[in-house]
Structures are given as C-alpha cells and as structure tokens.
C-alpha cells in the first residue's frame, strides 16, 4: 500500500514521494473469479511531486483546496493540524495488489503449483534458470488476467508485451523477473466500493478508485533467514508462480477506504482471506510527524510489523534503483482476439477470445447485492453483510426456499443469530453445524406458532452442539411447545396482574410501556412457552376489565 500525506493547501510539500512495489506484510490469500487465488500486497504506483530534476514519472496535479477532505468526510475527514499549526494534512493512498492466479502450473513452466510442498520439490529447469531453458506462456493465467480486467471494466490490450525487470537477490536465480512494464494486458479500469458512514452500517456511501493497469508477472522464490546459524535458505517452489498485478491510482484518502476497496476486490476475486490494510492509518500518522518535524518522506517500500505495530523500511524504489527494464527476448507479443478479429481458420484452442470470456463472466458482487435487495426486499446493508462472509448469501437463499417465513424475518435470524455463533467460534459458513435445512426447519416451527422466539433461540443453541437432533426433537425433549390451553394462559395472566398492583396503576395512568414488563413476567412463568402476541391481547383485555371494575369496589 502506498500512502502519502500533504497539507490541504495549494502549495505541495517538497520532495514527497509515493512508494511503489510490494509490501510483504499486506498479504491476503484470495480466490479469484473462476477459481483464482489472490495475494493482496500494498504499493502505490504514483511518485510524488516533481521539482526540477526530480524522480521521473507522472506528476500529481494539485487538488483544489478542501476537495480531498470533503471526499473523505463521509467517514473520517482530513487529519487535523499538528504541532506546526499548518492546515490539515490530507492522506493520499494508492494500492498495488499482487494476486496469485489459481492454476495447476506456473506462469512459464509446467511445474506444479501446490501450497506447503516440501522445499524445492516443485522446481523445473526453467524455474532454476538453467542455461538453454525457455519460457512457455500458461494459457490459464492469461485467461484469468483477461477475466479480471473485464470484471474491473478495463480495456483489454489485444497486443501486450513482456519485459525483464532486473534485480539481484538469492531467491531470483535468473537475476530478473518477467513482467509487463510497457504494454500490460489490461488498462484504464475502475472499482466501485461502498463505505459505511456510521457504526451501525445503516448509511453507506459508494466511491470509485481508478485501475491504472493489470499485468502478468512471475513470482520470485522464498528466502528463509536463520538468525541462529547466520544463514539464509532458499526455497524455489514459488519461483515462477503466476501473478496478476492490479495497480490502483492514489484515489483514496484513508485506511478505511483502502480496506473497503481491497475487500471489494477480494469479493470480486472470491477471496479466502482479508486485507491487513489497517497499516495505512499508521503510515499516515508517521508521515505527518516526519513532515512536521522538518523531515522528508523517502521513496521506499515499507512493511508493516504486526508485532511492533509499526511500519519498517524494506528497500528503496524504482527512482533510485536501476531495474534495467528490457523487452523479454524469448517471448513474442501476446496477441488476443475478439469475435470480429478472430481469423476464420484459426484453431480455437490456440487463441484466446476476449468476447467468449466476457460472455461467461459470473455476476459480480455489486450485481448480486442488487438482486438480493430486489428479490427479497432486504436492506442494502444486509446484502453487504451477506456477501462479506463466504457462502452466507447462498445459505440465506437456501433457508428462504425451505421456510414459510418471510425473507425480511429470515435475514435477522441469519445475521443476528447464526452469524454471531460463527464469529464467536471462529467458523466459516461451510463449517457451521447448523445447516440451512435445520435452520429452515426451526423457523417453520416458529412461523407455525408452535414455539416462541425465545424457545427458538434455545433450540438454535442446542442445534449448535451438533448432536444430530432435529428442531422438533429438541422441542419435544425440552417441552418447549407453546401453551395451547388458552384458559390456563388466562389464569397465568390474571395471577401476574394480581401480583403487580403498581404496574397496573401505571398502565391505568397511561404508561403503556409497563405492559411489556407484564408480558415478560408471563413469559417467565411459562418458561418461554407462551405466544407473546396472544399474551399481550389477553393482558390488554383483562386490564380493561380490571380498570372498569376498580371504581365499583
């Protein structure tokens, strides 16, 4: 993640720089659309202000006074002035996300991709950079990048190029990384994400971050530093694994915006994990303190140390380090086609058709949310909650299909009860001991007024134990059925009224809220086996009788 802060005024600070590149701590394992896995790492692409012969690259145009602060005020606003007494500092956040493509083999070799394999057991001659070996492009990785580009509204380049990025490190045996520096596979896209404006998630604002480009590149190996023996071990199993680099423009202004954007991207990529983008807020404060104390912000990659709770420098960036980019001589240009440009006699197995991939794109999270709101009448914030947990939306829809309860009532049981249990026990939806069938069965008992909502919660707690019992069996074993004998219930209501003279007087005086206390007392007497609606009706009827008879006594 790249983050820079600057004053909310027209004059830019001198020599402020936007870091670019990976930040090893900001990693989250993800699963992309059509079974891709993503590893999200930080790094903004933009460099800072140029003054004379500064760092080459794009120049950041100044924001109008207050514009960025207004944009961020929906949640956090500009960072207040510090010791210097200057105008508020405005954070500028950009992201570079490296997503590992879910493929059986590596980007340029036939080596298998497998997590936690024995060290150096998945290394081909090409991965080890033996002389004479040549790269062979993996079709699956190209299709994955095209699919991601289309999902992010990018323009897909029908001709893209590969480059060598040179740097020397023990886990990069070739001395260079094959990437796409000049002409990447996709450019000029956008990602819309939503941000809560209050703690209750009842108000949300939608924002958009521009996608500069998506490029293919190979991963490096893994260095294992053994401080005890003063040695470094190298595992090349990851060397050559296919990555997509998603480069976002610095359009965000706080850690929460960055986290929301990453989360939305993770949803698009069908993620397994979450981003640790909280690092952005620490870095914002660090840079403010550095600038206000008269220091400068170096153009460098920093990692977030979760133990120390701070960012630490890793290495300097492209502006100072010469990567000696050059065209990859062993790979021809990557040519893609659409329906119009596809040659008539071309073997379809040998080409990639952009239109064919576009037609098979699944519903994106934004579309799924709209459908959930439209079909079931739930609130927009509920649709976000359903999609934020992998498999929860499908679970909810299965419950709705199997129960008589209205979808608006089902959502409360899924989010407030089931999801609370899952989070309390750190379980995923797939690991839940309460299936959608069991929850639907329970809600049917509640809908048919065979049990109260209090009893239903007791049954859910028993179902969570995973003992294989059905809701009906639990209801019968624990005698949780609602009282069907209305005369018995009337007697209990009358007994409660007789013991609560002060409450009856309060109700007579017009304080109708006290009625809820009487309903609760009846529920306690019946151990949750009474229908609250029926109890309310009986109490109201009896209290009317009581208040009419009292003056005659």
């Amino acid at each position: 993640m790249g983050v820079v802060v600057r004053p909310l005024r027209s004059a830019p600070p001198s020599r402020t720089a936007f870091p670019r590149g990976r930040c090893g701590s900001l990693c989250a394992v993800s699963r992309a659309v059509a079974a891709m896995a993503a590893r999200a790492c930080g790094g903004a692409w933009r460099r800072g202000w140029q003054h004379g012969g500064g760092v080459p690259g794009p120049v950041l145009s100044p924001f109008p006074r207050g514009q960025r602060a207004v944009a961020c005020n929906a949640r956090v606003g500009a960072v207040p002035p510090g010791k210097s007494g200057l105008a508020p500092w405005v954070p500028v956040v950009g992201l570079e996300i490296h997503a590992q493509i879910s493929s059986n083999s590596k980007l340029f070799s036939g080596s298998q991709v497998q997590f936690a394999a024995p060290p150096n057991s998945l290394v081909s001659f090409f991965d080890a950079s033996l002389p004479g070996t040549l790269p062979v492009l993996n079709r699956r990785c190209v299709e994955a990048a095209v699919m991601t580009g289309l999902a992010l509204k990018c323009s897909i380049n029908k001709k893209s190029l590969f480059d060598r990025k040179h740097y020397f490190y023990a886990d990069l045996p070739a001395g260079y990384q094959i990437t796409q520096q000049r002409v990447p596979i996709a450019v000029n896209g956008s990602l819309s994400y939503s941000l809560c404006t209050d703690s209750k998630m009842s108000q949300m604002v939608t924002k958009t971050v521009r996608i500069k480009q998506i490029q293919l590149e190979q991963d490096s190996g893994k260095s294992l530093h053994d401080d005890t023996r003063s040695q470094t071990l190298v595992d090349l199993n990851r060397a050559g694994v296919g990555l997509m680099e998603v480069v976002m423009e610095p359009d965000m202004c706080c850690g929460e915006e960055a986290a929301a954007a990453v989360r939305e991207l993770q949803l698009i990529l069908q993620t397994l994990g979450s981003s640790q983008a909280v690092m952005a807020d620490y870095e914002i404060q660090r840079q403010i303190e550095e600038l206000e104390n008269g220091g400068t912000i170096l153009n460098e990659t920093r990692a977030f140390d979760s133990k120390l709770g701070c960012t630490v420098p890793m290495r300097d960036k492209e502006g100072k380090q010469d990567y000696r980019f050059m065209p990859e001589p062993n790979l021809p240009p990557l040519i893609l086609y659409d329906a119009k440009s596809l040659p008539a006699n071309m073997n379809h197995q040998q080409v990639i058709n952009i239109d064919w991939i576009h037609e098979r794109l699944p519903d994106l999270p934004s579309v799924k949310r709209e459908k959930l709101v439209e079909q079931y009448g739930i609130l927009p914030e509920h649709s976000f909650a359903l999609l934020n947990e992998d498999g929860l939306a499908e679970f909810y829809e299965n419950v709705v299909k199997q129960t008589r309860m209205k979808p608006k009532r089902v959502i409360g049981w899924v989010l407030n009860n089931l999801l609370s249990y899952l989070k309390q026990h750190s379980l995923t939806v797939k690991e839940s001991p309460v299936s959608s069938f069991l929850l639907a069965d329970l809600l049917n008992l509640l809908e048919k007024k065979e049990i109260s909502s209090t009893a239903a919660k007791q049954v859910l707690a028993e179902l969570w134990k995973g003992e294989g019992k059905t809701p009906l069996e639990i209801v019968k074993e624990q005698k949780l059925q609602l009282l069907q004998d209305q005369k018995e219930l009337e007697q209990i209501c009358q007994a409660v009224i007789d013991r609560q003279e002060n409450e009856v007087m309060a109700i007579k005086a017009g304080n109708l809220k006290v009625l809820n206390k009487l309903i609760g007392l009846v529920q306690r007497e019946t151990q949750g086996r009474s229908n609250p609606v029926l109890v309310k009706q009986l109490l109201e009827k009896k209290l009317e009788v009581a208040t009419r008879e009292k003056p005659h006594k």
Side-chain angles (χ1 to χ4, degrees), residues 433-454:
V434 180
S435 65
S436 60
F437 172 79
L438 286 175
L439 183 57
D441 198 11
L442 173 60
L443 298 185
N444 281 333
L445 293 176
L446 182 59
E447 190 68 12
K448 290 186 290 185
K449 296 183 172 54
E450 294 185 20
I451 58 174
S452 66
S453 58
T454 303

Side-chain angles (χ1 to χ4, degrees), residues 132-336:
T133 56
L134 297 174
V136 178
L137 184 57
N138 183 336
R139 176 191 179 99
R140 162 65 189 151
C141 294
V142 176
E143 290 177 338
V146 171
M147 185 179 296
T148 304
L150 292 172
L152 295 177
K153 304 181 184 66
C154 292
S155 297
I156 306 299
N157 285 324
K158 292 183 181 177
K159 179 181 179 180
S160 59
L161 305 174
F162 289 96
D163 303 276
R164 289 184 179 182
K165 175 182 177 181
H166 293 80
Y167 64 92
F168 296 98
Y169 206 70
D171 56 20
L172 190 71
Y176 61 84
Q177 179 186 40
I178 300 179
T179 183
Q180 292 189 304
Q181 171 73 3
R182 295 169 296 161
V183 186
I185 198 167
V187 294
N188 301 331
S190 64
L191 171 67
S192 295
Y193 61 96
S194 293
L195 195 67
C196 298
T197 57
D198 64 355
S199 59
K200 296 180 180 179
M201 289 190 66
S202 58
Q203 294 183 3
M204 308 190 80
V205 60
T206 299
K207 298 193 173 188
T208 300
V209 56
R210 293 168 295 158
I211 304 296
K212 180 176 184 284
Q213 66 189 55
I214 298 176
Q215 61 195 53
L216 286 168
E217 69 178 28
Q218 60 180 170
D219 202 357
S220 58
K222 181 179 181 181
S223 294
L224 304 172
H225 302 291
D226 187 345
D227 295 332
T228 304
R229 300 180 181 180
S230 300
Q231 62 182 5
T232 296
L233 305 176
V234 176
D235 180 6
L236 294 180
N237 279 350
R238 288 197 57 81
V241 168
L243 303 176
M244 288 181 296
E245 183 177 335
V246 181
V247 183
M248 298 181 183
E249 303 275 17
D251 293 339
M252 296 160 284
C253 58
C254 61
E256 290 193 30
E257 284 193 9
V262 169
R263 181 57 181 151
E264 185 66 15
L265 180 60
Q266 288 177 331
L267 288 174
I268 290 175
L269 300 177
Q270 297 294 309
T271 67
L272 292 176
S274 62
S275 171
Q276 297 178 9
V278 291
M279 167 262 183
D281 287 332
Y282 171 85
E283 183 61 15
I284 288 170
Q285 294 301 324
R286 186 193 72 83
Q287 290 193 20
I288 288 175
E289 292 177 8
E290 184 72 24
L291 290 169
E292 293 202 338
N293 289 327
T296 58
I297 305 302
L298 300 177
N299 192 14
E300 61 184 0
T301 294
R302 298 179 68 89
F304 184 76
D305 189 315
S306 57
K307 294 181 179 179
L308 298 177
C310 64
T311 60
V312 293
M314 289 178 64
R315 58 177 180 272
D316 58 8
K317 295 312 304 161
E318 282 92 333
K320 296 182 178 179
Q321 189 166 320
D322 183 10
Y323 285 100
R324 296 182 293 116
F325 283 103
M326 62 170 281
E328 169 55 56
N330 295 324
L331 284 169
L334 173 57
I335 305 298
L336 306 177

Side-chain angles (χ1 to χ4, degrees), residues 139 142-144 146-147 150 156 158 334-343 346-361:
R139 176 191 179 99
V142 176
E143 290 177 338
V146 171
M147 185 179 296
L150 292 172
I156 306 299
K158 292 183 181 177
L334 173 57
I335 305 298
L336 306 177
Y337 298 89
D338 56 20
K340 293 182 180 178
S341 62
L342 189 66
M346 181 70 71
N347 183 346
H348 291 271
Q349 298 296 322
Q350 299 298 318
V351 298
I352 292 177
N353 188 332
I354 300 171
D355 290 336
W356 186 88
I357 294 175
H358 193 274
E359 290 169 3
R360 285 156 180 78
L361 278 179

